[in-house]
Amino acid sequence: MTTAYAFVPSPLHIYPAHPEHPSRFDLLTARLDSFGAQKLDVKPATRDEVARVHHPTLINSLEDICKQAPAIIDYAPTFVTHTSFDDALLASGGTLSCMRAVLSGSARNAFALVRPPGHHAEPAHSMGFCIFNNIAIAAGDALVRADGRTERPLQRIAIVDYDAHHGNGTQATFMDDERIAYCSTHQWGIYPGTGWYEEAPHARKRIVNVPLPADSGDQSYERIAAEIFAPFIQSFEPEMILVSAGFDAHWNDPITSLGLSSAGFYMLSKKLVDLAEEHCGGKIVFVLEGGYDATNLANGAAAVFAALMDKPFIDPGDASPRKEADASEMIEKICERHGFIGS
Ligand SMILES: [Zn+2]
């Protein structure tokens, strides 16, 4: 079976000097054909599909604001243009296409290469460069739509988020929904300020936050993959894994300071694909979030496609020149809090 992808570059969703810019995709676009994946047709998400996550008042007000665009709608800053409402619907629609291709069995796995990104968008607030929460909308859809293979909606989905920022919107959406588990690695002390390891005490093993010091890099993430991602998936037993893939965790991202290399993104992505093979019949969908350097974004996407398609990853040799921070104390605290020790 094939690996599918959706491509939504939104060239008119653009604001001068803003890092979430269409040029993020410039090098990716040139390499898309070389990955050998199957491109999906994309149509916009409907209002009803978006309303599974977002309040109707937010949807309506965004449509109105875009008519008066360009505008800044929160302090991150999050911008909108005249096309942003439609672009955001298409980004969510592209993510839905990937989810449905995998659920129907027409693709083994998939990657939604979309912008604007989504994981900061909360049910009632667009924020953090995000308009609608693409991954949450796809998860919400899978909880109500019959799977082509089992002929019932999914009942358990795990979302892993390795963007450099905490996915506050995804966490807020599913804070009290026991059908969805959420695990996020992120740099501590930066936007949006949420994601401390003790902030969801009611959801032990289900909401797992991994706040990391700046310059946590490949070695720390290798431990996290083995000691946190693996027991998180094993204990929740999802029917599908969704991944918020943000390549701003690369060491030379212009707006963050984590320490991953492209080989590190491949290691993380391969681990998640292997966990999906082991626990959920290979059903996994990656969804692009951040990543503000075009080279890192293209290399990161290549790493994800190599993992999804079980092909060798051609390492560009871009390891961090900085000394890696020691994240072991935090990793151990998180394992202890969630009972992951020895699993
Ligand atoms: Zn980010």
Side-chain angles (χ1 to χ4, degrees), residues 199-223:
E199 81 180 22
H202 68 296
R204 202 163 161 262
K205 295 190 178 183
R206 185 177 70 79
I207 295 180
V208 179
N209 281 310
V210 186
L212 292 167
D215 283 315
S216 298
D218 291 356
Q219 289 176 29
S220 298
Y221 276 87
E222 209 152 320
R223 275 195 72 183

Side-chain angles (χ1 to χ4, degrees), residues 119-120 129 163-166 190 246-249 255-256 289-292:
H119 73 152
H120 293 305
F129 313 169
D163 186 276
H165 301 92
H166 181 237
I190 63 169
F247 302 115
D248 45 6
I255 68 170
T256 57
E289 302 288 356
Y292 302 99

